[in-house]
Amino acid sequence: MVIAPLVWWACAQEPTPEPGPTPLDAPRLLRRASLDLRGVLPSTEELEQVRADPAALDGLVEGYLDDPRLEERVVAWLHERWHTRVDGFSAAWYDYGLDARDEVEFERAVGEEPLRLAAAVVVEDLPWTEVVQADWTQANTLLLEIWPLEVLDTGEGWRRARWTDARPAAGVLVSNGLWWRYPTDLFNLNRGRASAVSRLLLCQDLLAGPVRASDPLTLLEGGAEAAIREDPGCQGCHSVIEPLASALFGFHWVDEYAVEEMTRYHPEREPLGALLLGVEPAFYGEPTADLAAVGAAVAASEGFEACAVQTFAEALWRRPTGTSDADTLHTLRGQFRAGGLRVRALLRSIVSGAEYRAGVVQEGEALSRRLLSPELLQSAVEELTGFVWTAQGVELLDEDERGFRTLAGGVDGEEVLRPQSEPGLTWALALRRLAEGAGEHLARRGFEQGEGPLAGLGGARPGDAAFDAAQEELIWRLWGRAPSAEDLAEDQALWEEVQVLDGEQAAWAALVSLWLRDLDAVTR
Amino acid sequence: MGALPFLARAATLGERRFLFVFCDGGWDPTYALAPLFGHPYAEMDGGGEVATLGGLSWVDGPDRPAVSDFFRAQAARSALVHGLEVRSVAHERCRRILMTGSAGEGVDDWGAVLGAKAAVERVMPHLVVAGPAFSSRYAASVVRAGRGEQLPQLLGGWSRLDSDLTVRGPSAGAAAAVEAALARRLERQLEQADAQSAAVARGALDALERAAVLEQRAGELDFGAGEDFDDQWATAVECLRTDLCRCAMVRFAGLYNLTFDTHAANTLQASHFELLFQSLGRLANTLDSTAGPDGLALSESTTLVVISEMGRFPMLNEQGGKHHWAFTSALLWGSGVRGGTVVGGYDDTMQSAPTDLTTGEVSAAGEPLTAAHLGATLLALGDVDPGEVGSTPPLSALLDL
């Protein structure tokens, strides 16, 4: 039998077992994968399945990779890196005649547009290169109303759309959401945007190096423009930045606060790049006729592929990668390439690895405990209790003008660029209030409305079969492990104490809130 | 030479505190702090002139009298640092470099480090009322107040929180029972978990304990700062007074929140500096008249650090503004600061003039100053070995320890 070379090569690249952290047990690992890939807790049945047969875990995780809820997870991961889900842009809801109540929806729609495009590429199992080459984007009803888009798919929510303003086929490189987040002005001339392309898609941070002219007099007497063109110290970075910036002038806004300017693409301004910057568009020395050519050049670059691996590895490992990860990342990159640059294949490789499955870590960079992000906390809480913490329709763990996103450890994309990895004071406070609200809500549902897992528990006490069953079921579902004898003893003491004070409904609310704040609930 | 009415003394009790004032946008030091009249490239405001008191020199201008008012009153407690290189001209990156000494991610700003390494454990080691903050290793020591009074809302519980779904919140007794149960559980997990999990449990327990303390004292505090600068620093001063924090960060955004980023109409710098120094004067007076936890005036133990992420290009552009410049100045005031001191300078190309770190004077044998020098100086003021964070030595010329 002849094995196709690609298959042979892919098989040859299977990761060899390596010493390292002790793997997490199957139920907890299933919980981790379910939250990471679907944003929800695993069902009781799924947990039971892997408890009985740990080998069943891989099959379940494989199913998670096909779950449509993976899209939301990709959006969340990429926001942590691309930082577009911010709480304000130069254009606002009132510029489009929207209602004030639409403010957050507007901001999220704008900021998510590039993220949704990328997520669609992942969920539809397209090559990752489509992110910079797609002739479509994703839009929701609000964006379809305000931007020059024609819908390509029927249905609700985010769906495929195409720009109608002659912008080239370049995926996120022609995204309004991306360039609204990374605006420019008549002085910067898209240089900041070029830097953003390099950082976000190639993981090359051109601003990490010192900004220093070799000859200050060139800078002082000729100005910054002269120094950029002539000074060797400046040319070190600007030899890359200028040509890339030159390609972005379809997004050149004469008035950077005019919504009409910001809304549509300006193909007639594309030649301004060469005129104002004095260089023709190019990508690392390769001439590019337009943004579509830039997208193709980005897609073909080594950095693009490596950056994708780094991006998704960091998203799932919940820590920055470093030199110690070189071997693992190299292996992942090989698998990514072998999988046709499909991110789902990459995700499969990552979640199969020792780093991701770490349970007990004695040395190295792997994390055994990773704090849940605010959106995962909300998701887990909502699923278990039905409680969604919103105010006037705004999800308070997803926003910072009124909400608690950064206080709960999340990323706002402007001042907080990395998720919090350790517990902190405001994290503890936000978690407490979330848990209190959720516990009360679940108890109310059970005792006042006769629904949910606490329904019918009136009169049941610790030690009763119904009480104990409900307790163990909820903990198992929430933590992915059975409660210990000490856990049960503490729970019983708390329930009885609060029951005396405020009655059994309040006692259950207290118990649930305690469980929601346990380490096994708030980490994965 | 004017009389110096006050001499800065080292804090006699307790630790030094820090109040960071971040002036957003990149100020033009030549409008207030750096009298570079006669410099071959620095275009100075035509209405300004150099003013001097003791060893301090600044720019006096008819449209920003508050600058001179401040320095005439506070020269003996003020020091200026010039020529700090921030190695970038991008706002976000400059902020990071100025406040951490590094352009990379995964770094902690000076407030986070000072807060984390305080000898005294406080509920909020570094309180960010407003403004930027960078934390990584010491993230747990940083407490953000939130853009819209979120911290007091969280502290106040469900009587202050909003929710579309009805939430009354637990009774005081039930809440206390849950907190106690959670603390016991975390302590148990501390003992049983692997090293990494134990660290998370320890952090959670520490956060729980600090939150409980802050909750008890929440009624004493007014976190309703919003964007008003005076309200922001009033909140910070209150937290310093009550020893809830060691460090605090506030943000000044200038006239109409336009910030100092004057790519056009550089004359707006005058308005920004006028407002800034009016408020700094009030702040200095407040620190003088407010007793700290040791019974002494807060000014005895508090160092004010007034910074901006970058400077402005020496010459005006076609729009009458100034673009970004990778060199800036800083103002330090108060405890531990050698008053009447100017450290560093700008050379003929408006870059950092080599400076003797011991004397503060420009010297060919010295070294150009960077944000890391400023950070090392603050760490030294805070009794933290600068060597723990980096290899850059402090500006000992600034220290009056």
Side-chain angles (χ1 to χ4, degrees):
Chain A
M1 180 177 80
V2 175
I3 299 175
L6 187 62
V7 174
W8 172 85
W9 185 81
C11 292
Q13 303 308 310
E14 283 298 313
T16 54
E18 51 189 47
T22 304
L24 200 57
D25 60 81
R28 287 283 296 172
L29 184 54
L30 186 74
R31 179 180 182 275
R32 176 180 289 177
S34 182
L35 285 167
D36 280 345
L37 300 177
R38 302 188 303 177
V40 297
L41 296 166
S43 67
T44 303
E45 293 71 29
E46 290 172 329
L47 287 169
E48 287 297 335
Q49 187 178 349
V50 298
R51 177 158 63 177
D53 177 17
L57 179 133
D58 285 340
L60 285 167
V61 173
E62 186 63 32
Y64 294 170
L65 289 167
D66 287 328
D67 194 297
R69 288 171 289 192
L70 178 64
E71 175 181 346
E72 296 299 322
R73 302 302 305 135
V74 176
V75 169
W77 296 335
L78 290 179
H79 165 63
E80 288 181 347
R81 190 165 194 92
W82 293 5
H83 303 143
T84 60
R85 293 180 89 250
V86 295
D87 290 338
F89 298 92
S90 299
W93 52 274
Y94 45 78
D95 288 315
Y96 288 102
L98 298 172
D99 194 273
R101 290 169 296 184
D102 299 326
E103 177 182 1
V104 175
E105 183 188 352
F106 167 79
E107 289 163 357
R108 287 295 172 266
V110 171
E112 286 189 14
E113 181 238 328
L115 309 180
R116 292 283 171 180
L117 187 163
V121 170
V122 174
V123 170
E124 295 175 28
D125 214 21
L126 301 171
W128 183 240
T129 49
E130 189 77 351
V131 163
V132 288
Q133 295 187 282
D135 65 351
W136 50 271
T137 187
Q138 292 288 95
N140 62 7
T141 300
L142 188 148
L143 294 184
L144 288 168
E145 288 175 0
I146 64 174
W147 283 354
L149 290 161
E150 65 176 349
V151 65
L152 298 178
D153 287 342
T154 57
E156 303 287 322
W158 288 91
R159 47 206 185 274
R160 192 157 291 184
R162 179 170 290 133
W163 297 101
T164 59
D165 56 0
R167 58 185 80 188
V172 297
L173 296 178
V174 294
S175 157
N176 270 8
L178 188 65
W179 299 133
W180 283 31
R181 171 59 185 87
Y182 296 102
T184 189
D185 58 30
L186 299 177
F187 309 109
N188 181 259
L189 297 175
N190 285 321
R191 295 174 177 115
R193 287 171 167 169
S195 175
V197 169
S198 180
R199 188 174 73 255
L200 303 185
L201 297 172
L202 306 174
C203 295
Q204 292 173 17
D205 187 359
L206 296 171
L207 288 173
V211 174
R212 189 181 290 149
S214 301
D215 179 8
L217 289 179
T218 305
L219 181 58
L220 288 170
E221 295 183 350
E225 296 293 330
I228 283 169
R229 282 192 298 272
E230 302 164 16
D231 188 278
C234 299
Q235 270 288 294
C237 293
H238 280 276
S239 59
V240 171
I241 291 176
E242 300 302 287
L244 189 48
S246 183
L248 294 168
F249 272 74
F251 289 96
H252 179 70
W253 303 330
V254 174
D255 179 349
E256 63 213 53
Y257 296 100
V259 68
E260 301 80 15
E261 286 280 300
M262 295 173 65
T263 297
R264 74 173 189 88
Y265 185 73
H266 305 274
E268 73 281 5
R269 297 177 188 172
E270 287 172 350
L272 286 176
L275 189 66
L276 295 175
L277 296 175
V279 294
E280 294 292 332
F283 178 77
Y284 283 87
E286 176 186 337
T288 51
D290 56 17
L291 262 179
V294 172
V298 170
S301 71
E302 293 274 318
F304 181 71
E305 185 183 285
C307 188
V309 172
Q310 179 181 335
T311 296
F312 289 103
E314 292 185 351
L316 286 167
W317 292 349
R318 304 309 290 167
R319 64 168 179 80
T321 53
T323 52
S324 60
D325 301 305
D327 287 345
T328 306
L329 291 175
H330 179 77
T331 300
L332 287 172
R333 193 172 157 188
Q335 292 163 346
F336 183 44
R337 194 181 299 134
L341 300 187
R342 263 90 175 161
V343 171
R344 275 202 291 187
L346 173 62
L347 297 176
R348 182 180 300 112
S349 300
I350 294 172
V351 301
S352 303
E355 177 74 30
Y356 181 79
R357 298 188 171 208
V360 175
V361 178
Q362 302 301 348
E363 60 181 33
E365 299 290 332
L367 299 179
S368 63
R369 290 277 185 180
R370 306 152 196 186
L371 289 184
L372 293 188
S373 58
E375 80 271 3
L376 279 182
L377 272 175
Q378 173 62 78
S379 175
V381 162
E382 179 181 359
E383 192 182 354
L384 197 75
T385 69
F387 181 72
V388 183
W389 195 6
T390 60
Q392 289 84 54
V394 175
E395 288 196 31
L396 294 182
L397 291 185
D398 189 41
E399 191 260 5
D400 292 291
E401 293 297 320
R402 285 152 288 184
F404 311 103
R405 178 171 57 171
T406 53
L407 272 64
V411 171
D412 71 355
E414 292 178 288
E415 291 186 353
V416 183
L417 304 180
R418 280 187 175 275
Q420 191 169 318
S421 59
E422 297 175 8
L425 187 151
T426 55
W427 170 89
L429 282 170
L431 174 62
R432 173 178 170 176
R433 300 309 177 197
L434 176 68
E436 286 174 348
E440 181 177 320
H441 183 73
L442 185 65
R444 178 178 299 119
R445 287 178 58 206
F447 283 81
E448 295 178 20
Q449 297 159 12
E451 60 178 44
L454 301 184
L457 287 178
R461 310 193 71 79
D464 295 346
F467 186 105
D468 294 349
Q471 177 186 30
E472 294 190 23
E473 164 86 13
L474 282 166
I475 290 175
W476 176 227
R477 182 84 204 283
L478 181 60
W479 296 352
R481 70 166 174 88
S484 66
E486 293 109 326
D487 293 332
L488 293 173
E490 282 173 357
D491 290 353
Q492 178 176 342
L494 175 65
W495 191 93
E496 290 177 343
E497 182 179 354
V498 178
Q499 191 273 333
V500 169
L501 288 172
D502 300 322
E504 57 186 356
Q505 181 173 336
W508 274 106
L511 262 193
V512 172
S513 73
L514 175 67
W515 298 335
L516 289 171
R517 298 165 71 187
D518 188 279
L519 272 194
D520 281 331
V522 302
T523 63
R524 99 274 184 267
Chain B
M1 186 164 91
L4 301 177
F6 180 86
L7 293 175
R9 301 194 295 271
T12 56
L13 289 172
E15 296 180 303
R16 188 159 280 118
R17 300 171 177 81
F18 297 85
L19 178 49
F20 294 88
V21 175
F22 178 74
C23 298
D24 202 350
W27 58 18
D28 182 355
T30 67
Y31 248 84
L33 309 177
L36 298 176
F37 297 95
H39 189 283
Y41 291 104
E43 286 196 67
M44 302 294 293
D45 168 50
E49 57 185 30
V50 62
T52 303
L53 180 60
L56 211 64
S57 294
W58 67 90
V59 180
D60 175 51
D63 49 0
R64 60 263 196 207
V67 177
S68 289
D69 290 344
F70 178 88
F71 283 122
R72 290 196 183 101
Q74 307 292 343
R77 293 191 281 176
S78 300
L80 292 168
V81 186
H82 295 310
L84 290 168
E85 185 182 17
V86 288
R87 293 190 293 115
S88 182
V89 289
H91 288 286
E92 186 275 330
R93 201 56 53 102
C94 287
R95 284 185 212 118
R96 194 187 306 177
I97 292 170
L98 180 69
M99 292 172 60
T100 70
S102 170
E105 295 189 8
V107 290
D108 294 274
D109 63 38
W110 314 123
V113 176
L114 288 163
K117 291 185 173 294
V120 175
E121 285 196 15
R122 294 178 177 83
V123 172
M124 302 184 290
H126 177 40
L127 170 65
V128 181
V129 181
F134 301 95
S135 58
S136 175
R137 181 177 171 191
Y138 302 119
S141 71
V142 179
V143 176
R144 292 177 182 269
R147 298 180 201 170
E149 301 182 31
Q150 286 97 329
L151 181 54
Q153 290 173 10
L154 288 176
L155 290 168
W158 287 99
S159 63
R160 290 197 63 177
L161 287 167
D162 204 358
S163 173
D164 291 334
L165 292 171
T166 303
V167 179
R168 289 184 287 268
S171 68
V178 171
E179 296 310 290
L182 180 61
R184 286 192 296 271
R185 180 159 293 187
L186 289 171
E187 283 164 2
R188 180 160 55 81
Q189 289 169 333
L190 257 180
E191 295 169 9
Q192 297 173 350
D194 63 282
Q196 208 177 86
S197 295
V200 177
R202 189 174 301 114
L205 191 54
D206 174 71
L208 197 69
E209 292 167 352
R210 290 194 286 128
V213 173
L214 189 61
E215 201 177 353
Q216 288 169 5
R217 302 180 62 176
E220 307 167 19
L221 302 169
D222 177 12
F223 279 105
E227 292 184 337
D228 183 84
F229 180 59
D230 274 35
D231 286 345
Q232 289 180 33
W233 62 246
T235 297
V237 168
E238 183 60 14
C239 291
L240 292 170
R241 180 188 76 79
T242 55
D243 218 18
L244 284 172
C245 69
R246 182 190 191 187
C247 305
M249 163 65 83
V250 295
R251 170 182 176 265
F252 178 77
L255 178 70
Y256 304 136
N257 291 322
L258 291 172
T259 79
F260 284 90
D261 194 21
T262 51
H263 288 279
N266 202 58
T267 50
L268 271 175
Q269 294 279 334
S271 301
H272 297 327
F273 276 114
E274 173 67 9
L275 290 175
L276 172 66
F277 276 88
Q278 283 180 4
S279 192
L280 289 180
R282 291 190 290 271
L283 172 55
N285 291 338
T286 300
L287 290 170
D288 277 338
S289 61
T290 302
D294 51 12
L296 301 175
L298 267 180
S299 55
E300 297 275 340
S301 62
T302 303
T303 305
L304 197 57
V305 184
V306 189
I307 51 177
S308 190
E309 72 264 38
M310 65 177 83
R312 309 282 335 159
F313 196 85
M315 286 97 78
L316 293 167
N317 59 34
E318 305 78 27
Q319 288 78 31
K322 290 185 176 180
H323 295 316
H324 300 172
W325 191 242
F327 299 86
T328 187
S329 298
L331 163 65
L332 273 66
W333 175 95
S335 176
V337 176
R338 184 164 300 177
T341 303
V342 175
V343 169
Y346 296 94
D347 68 11
D348 284 350
T349 62
M350 277 299 289
Q351 300 195 66
S352 181
T355 300
D356 183 313
L357 304 187
T358 306
T359 65
E361 294 177 357
V362 171
S363 165
E367 57 191 87
L369 301 185
T370 68
H373 287 98
L374 177 66
T377 306
L378 297 176
L379 296 179
L381 283 168
D383 289 326
V384 176
D385 178 6
E388 289 187 39
V389 176
S391 58
T392 306
L395 300 165
S396 52
L398 280 177
L399 303 177
D400 181 21
L401 299 177

